[in-house]
Amino acid sequence: MKQDTVDNATSTPDIDQPWAELGLKEDEYDRIREILGRRPTDAELAMYSVMWSEHCSYKSSKVHLRYFGETTTDEMKSKMLAGIGENAGVVDIGDGWAVTFKVESHNHPSYVEPYQGAATGVGGIVRDIMAMGARPVAVMDQLRFGAADAADTQRVLPGVVSGVGGYGNCLGLPNIGGETVFDKSYAGNPLVNALCVGVLPVEDLHLAFATGENNRVVLFGSRTGLDGIGGVSVLASETFEDGAERKLPAVQVGDPFAEKVLIECCLDLYKAGVVVGIQDLGGAGLSCAVSELAASGEGGMEVDLDQVHLRADNMTAAEILSSESQERMCAVVAPEDMDEFMAICQKWDVIASDIGVVTENPNLVIKHQGEIVVDAPPKTIADEGPTYNRPYARPAWQDELQAEPTLARPEGASELRQTVLDLAASPALCSRGFITEQYDRYVRGNTIAAKHADAGVLRVNEDTGRGVAIATDASGRYTKLDPRTGARLALAEAHRNVSVTGALPYAVSNCLNFGSPENPDAMWQFAEAVRGLADGAAELGVPVTGGNVSFYNQTGDEPILPTPVIAVLGIIEDVEKTIGNRLGTADDEVLYLLGDTTDELGGSIWQQVAHDTLAGMPPAIELSDEEKLTEFFHGTIVAEGEHFLSAARDLSEGGLSQALVEACIQSGVGAQIDLAAVHDDAFVALFSESASRALVAVPAAEAEKLEARAAQVGVTAARIGTVTADKVLRTDSFEIGVDELETAWRGTLPGLFGHAVGANSVVE
């Protein structure tokens, strides 16, 4: 079939086009025709369809995401060098250094092909960080699967974990933290959210724009193939392929070694000063890169697809533009810098092709086989997609869900003891060592905290010791009960995880995972969560620097638990002052609980494990209490140079019970605990998930100092016990040997997945 050109599209206005198969609505297709003044060519239809997709255009979410801008104060803006709308947020951390970080989802590909879906998710977020001019220095992952014993989880989890570890390890990037959560709602729709953090000198910041008439457009990195075109694809229709069968993988195929070389090549290009603007090629491939670069510049762009280096024969223009082949970047380069740019690429054995030029003509013009196949205003492709005010309303079932359930609670010492063991051994709270030991956490030598840490801590400046702490958190259970509160609780926990290291929480990123935006219930959950997060960030004075929205996470008509993943980045002036979480010298340490404990078990892990139930209201949250904890840990301890704490860790899922279990196991000690000092009901003392709490240990000689500091900043400090050398966890009414706890805590995941991961896993 003859190639569909602009001239052909003009002369054949009435032929049928597969706009519906490509995910477009009829009114969207009509609007494209109105913009162009004719029908689109095959290549234009492919570009508009992928760029106007939910994934690229945020067409259902942007009316709500604007609220972040409305709630960001000038003081919050002053912390950011780059924010929402860029490839990743960037903040100035001092000493001439900036840090960039972002979280993105790769959920659906990871269900289709778990290894490559997860691996290319890591690769994609790493390139977002590269595109800001930064060296990627660490990754994190937030993973969610169906029930741990479900057959599909047995298939998906091993591949995802191997993909995350395999790609990150090959890049030489430490994996410094994250979460793995199991819930039946994620069956058939796992969540794979990947975070990357990068560092750069402040003056090296790069942004994605094409400016300067006659500047060249260079595509460099791996060859473009047929992988990753996938579901929207141009490939299914005879209009694009004349009926020929094309067996194309819907999930991209990653090559971490090619990406590692690409990282070093980009850093050399930045150092040489030969890059005017740069964009990574991720979702929507070259369509996204060239349209966004052109849309953010001052003119237009002309691109020749015949110059694109390919790895498949007879690719159509639509396929070249839509391919999501990995490990590719697109740069705008001044003509006088082209020789040096190409020489640096050659030095690193990175293929680079001069594919176009920045023009005075405002349109994006793309040629293939000597003919024009795209001639369109780039802003209409990249920036002016549809905007939907989807209907949303509080679900009719919300009141019933929030009703306080009547659930049998353990009574007596033996039942309390067994509940501690049951929770520790549950998939919800058991050791993730079987997973995390497949990741390299200390490569590059700047990881200060990762293993068992509440937040990962990295050294940024080796001369001054300045560093950052990063934590990611989410609770789909809390968010389903009350979306606004659930998002605030996720923000509070990530904020608190950073605080207990001694760092100052400074900026936020997010990845918002929800069901179909066409479902008013799911859309209400999303709108409420956005407002909860935005208002919470404003209260804490930490800007939301960017994020990602992932919709249509559901199996059939059943959506996942609404899951807003929140990442908080904090600054620590000297990583040598990082507060660890290991209990120290036995019999010489006193344990304190900071914060107040009340009867709050709605959405708790106890409720999930003991009763397979989700009901009630989540814990209340006052973000001013989180600020007080930050003042206690960062303001009055680290900033003033007094580090008298032996250990600190936040309380979250599983409450005090799980915090004590993990502290004793990981420290190799025991503890004597007075539960009555926490709450007059031992059950509530152990399993409540009240927010804004932390468990801290201090040498006995420093106990009065801790109490005075806590009183000074307005934090309740209850002396609840001591550390003991005999490796027994004792409470007012029962005791459990730490060895018994450890057996229960460590054995669950190896028992479930050992057959699948096998020799690749090391149980810690």
Side-chain angles (χ1 to χ4, degrees):
M1 179 179 177
K2 183 179 179 181
Q3 179 163 245
D4 191 19
T5 66
V6 169
D7 286 343
N8 185 53
T10 303
S11 62
T12 57
D14 298 324
I15 68 169
D16 290 335
Q17 293 189 280
W19 49 266
E21 291 89 332
L22 300 182
L24 291 168
K25 308 294 186 186
E26 185 172 7
D27 61 334
E28 293 173 347
Y29 176 68
D30 291 342
R31 185 178 165 206
I32 295 167
R33 294 186 64 120
E34 181 181 350
I35 289 168
L36 298 175
R38 54 174 169 79
R39 72 164 178 87
T41 66
D42 293 347
E44 288 168 334
L45 186 61
M47 290 189 75
Y48 276 103
S49 70
V50 294
M51 292 302 295
W52 285 14
S53 68
E54 197 72 63
H55 176 78
C56 293
S57 75
Y58 292 82
K59 58 188 177 185
S60 298
S61 58
K62 55 191 172 187
V63 295
H64 300 285
L65 297 177
R66 290 171 187 150
Y67 191 64
F68 287 120
E70 296 170 14
T71 53
T72 302
T73 65
D74 289 341
E75 182 179 355
M76 293 162 68
K77 290 176 184 176
S78 70
K79 296 181 178 182
M80 295 188 287
L81 300 176
I84 293 173
E86 300 295 343
N87 282 302
V90 183
V91 294
D92 186 339
I93 69 162
D95 288 349
W97 286 93
V99 170
T100 176
F101 73 123
K102 188 181 180 183
V103 198
E104 279 204 346
S105 62
H106 224 225
N107 302 339
H108 300 143
S110 297
Y111 177 73
V112 175
E113 211 299 291
Y115 183 93
Q116 290 294 351
T120 54
V122 174
I125 192 64
V126 167
R127 288 193 303 281
D128 277 340
I129 296 306
M130 290 163 55
M132 303 308 296
R135 174 181 285 280
V137 293
V139 295
M140 303 177 79
D141 60 281
Q142 276 269 352
L143 309 178
R144 279 163 171 75
F145 303 100
D149 57 355
D152 198 60
T153 305
Q154 299 285 314
R155 175 186 72 88
V156 174
L157 181 144
V160 165
V161 171
S162 295
V164 170
Y167 205 99
N169 292 350
C170 289
L171 288 181
L173 295 178
N175 188 315
I176 59 172
E179 280 189 314
T180 302
V181 173
F182 299 96
D183 186 276
K184 57 189 177 184
S185 79
Y186 302 110
N189 201 125
L191 301 187
V192 177
N193 291 184
L195 176 146
C196 184
V197 57
V199 302
L200 66 156
V202 170
E203 63 272 13
D204 284 358
L205 176 63
H206 282 73
L207 300 177
F209 62 90
T211 190
E213 187 179 352
N214 296 321
N215 280 345
R216 306 306 302 178
V217 180
V218 182
L219 178 66
F220 63 110
S222 295
R223 294 181 180 275
T224 298
L226 291 167
D227 54 316
I229 296 174
V232 289
S233 87
V234 264
L235 37 112
S237 167
E238 291 185 3
T239 304
F240 292 96
E241 263 317 299
D242 197 24
E245 182 181 4
R246 305 278 272 183
K247 295 182 178 178
L248 313 181
V251 179
Q252 309 94 316
V253 177
D255 180 351
F257 300 106
E259 182 128 328
K260 174 60 178 171
V261 173
L262 190 60
I263 291 171
E264 301 304 327
C265 180
C266 284
L267 292 170
D268 267 8
L269 293 169
Y270 300 148
K271 184 177 180 180
V274 294
V275 174
V276 175
I278 192 164
Q279 175 79 0
D280 72 298
L281 273 72
L286 193 59
S287 290
C288 179
V290 296
S291 64
E292 289 191 351
L293 282 168
S296 60
E298 298 169 354
M301 185 184 290
E302 185 174 302
V303 173
D304 184 357
L305 297 182
D306 294 340
Q307 303 306 311
V308 173
H309 41 282
L310 304 176
R311 64 167 176 254
D313 295 330
N314 302 317
M315 289 184 69
T316 67
E319 289 170 340
I320 296 170
L321 288 166
S322 301
S323 168
E324 294 182 5
S325 294
Q326 296 290 285
E327 293 90 35
R328 299 180 298 161
M329 304 287 285
C330 192
V332 177
V333 184
E336 61 270 22
D337 293 327
M338 280 293 289
D339 287 346
E340 186 173 4
F341 187 101
M342 293 299 192
I344 291 171
C345 289
Q346 186 174 18
K347 166 191 168 184
W348 287 103
D349 200 22
V350 169
I351 303 172
S353 299
D354 181 351
I355 66 168
V357 63
V358 178
T359 63
E360 184 179 7
N361 172 8
N363 274 11
L364 173 61
V365 177
I366 299 177
K367 297 179 179 180
H368 187 228
Q369 298 174 357
E371 298 182 286
I372 296 175
V373 295
V374 173
D375 188 355
K379 288 186 183 298
T380 67
I381 301 172
D383 298 335
E384 298 173 6
T387 298
Y388 291 132
N389 280 287
R390 301 279 192 189
Y392 63 94
R394 189 176 190 272
W397 44 260
Q398 198 73 36
D399 286 340
E400 182 179 353
L401 181 69
Q402 291 180 343
E404 190 65 34
T406 302
L407 301 174
R409 296 183 172 188
E411 297 180 359
S414 63
E415 290 187 7
L416 285 171
R417 182 185 191 279
Q418 189 59 48
T419 303
V420 171
L421 284 165
D422 290 345
L423 263 64
S426 70
L429 295 177
C430 68
S431 170
R432 269 48 179 162
F434 186 73
I435 293 170
T436 59
E437 284 301 306
Q438 297 183 59
Y439 307 152
D440 192 332
R441 289 174 290 202
Y442 298 98
V443 64
R444 298 185 58 84
N446 282 319
T447 304
I448 305 302
K451 185 175 181 178
H452 302 315
D454 291 309
V457 180
L458 292 169
R459 181 189 297 107
V460 171
N461 188 327
E462 295 186 11
D463 295 326
T464 66
R466 184 173 291 267
V468 293
I470 309 122
T472 58
D473 284 287
S475 173
R477 290 174 62 80
Y478 291 162
T479 307
K480 185 164 185 181
L481 293 178
D482 186 317
R484 192 173 296 219
T485 300
R488 290 168 67 86
L489 284 164
L491 171 63
E493 185 178 350
H495 189 278
R496 185 164 63 254
N497 282 333
V498 166
S499 293
V500 298
T501 69
L504 176 67
Y506 199 74
V508 174
S509 187
N510 65 78
C511 190
L512 307 176
N513 305 271
F514 288 80
S516 169
E518 299 169 53
N519 177 343
D521 295 357
M523 204 65 216
W524 174 79
Q525 293 171 333
F526 176 80
E528 286 289 290
V530 166
R531 280 154 181 76
L533 173 57
D535 289 339
E539 287 180 47
L540 292 168
V542 289
V544 176
T545 63
N548 175 235
V549 176
S550 176
F551 277 140
Y552 295 102
N553 291 291
Q554 56 187 60
T555 303
D557 294 329
E558 185 63 31
I560 62 164
L561 292 175
T563 310
V565 169
I566 313 300
V568 172
L569 178 141
I571 300 171
I572 186 164
E573 291 81 357
D574 183 356
V575 294
E576 294 301 319
K577 296 178 181 177
T578 300
I579 302 167
N581 63 3
R582 299 293 195 282
L583 304 178
T585 308
D587 296 323
D588 187 38
E589 285 199 351
V590 181
L591 296 172
Y592 280 83
L593 181 62
L594 304 184
D596 298 315
T597 301
T598 58
D599 191 338
E600 296 180 293
L601 288 120
S604 67
I605 297 300
W606 168 78
Q607 191 186 79
Q608 179 185 22
V609 173
H611 295 282
D612 191 22
T613 296
L614 175 60
M617 290 296 294
I621 176 65
E622 291 291 342
L623 293 174
S624 58
D625 292 336
E626 300 296 338
E627 293 182 294
K628 291 174 184 177
L629 287 175
T630 297
E631 178 63 17
F632 178 83
F633 289 112
H634 179 81
T636 62
I637 298 174
V638 175
E640 294 186 10
E642 294 192 43
H643 187 344
F644 57 81
L645 293 180
S646 301
R649 60 175 67 214
D650 89 305
L651 268 66
S652 52
E653 290 87 353
L656 178 62
S657 171
Q658 190 65 18
L660 289 168
V661 166
E662 293 182 8
C664 290
I665 292 171
Q666 293 160 10
S667 307
V669 298
Q672 176 73 51
I673 303 299
D674 177 10
L675 295 177
V678 180
H679 193 276
D680 57 11
D681 182 330
F683 168 78
V684 172
L686 282 166
F687 305 112
S688 168
E689 294 185 4
S690 293
S692 309
R693 297 185 299 160
L695 177 68
V696 296
V698 293
E702 304 286 4
E704 290 185 7
K705 184 181 289 187
L706 180 145
E707 292 176 8
R709 290 297 178 89
Q712 184 181 33
V713 299
V715 172
T716 302
R719 184 166 176 160
I720 65 168
T722 57
V723 179
T724 62
D726 58 2
K727 293 188 67 175
V728 177
L729 175 59
R730 294 184 178 86
T731 71
D732 312 18
S733 56
F734 66 85
E735 63 180 49
I736 312 175
V738 173
D739 289 343
E740 184 180 359
L741 285 169
E742 186 167 8
T743 298
W745 183 65
R746 293 195 190 279
T748 303
L749 293 190
L752 285 166
F753 299 102
H755 67 284
V757 182
N760 291 329
S761 178
V762 178
V763 180
E764 55 180 337

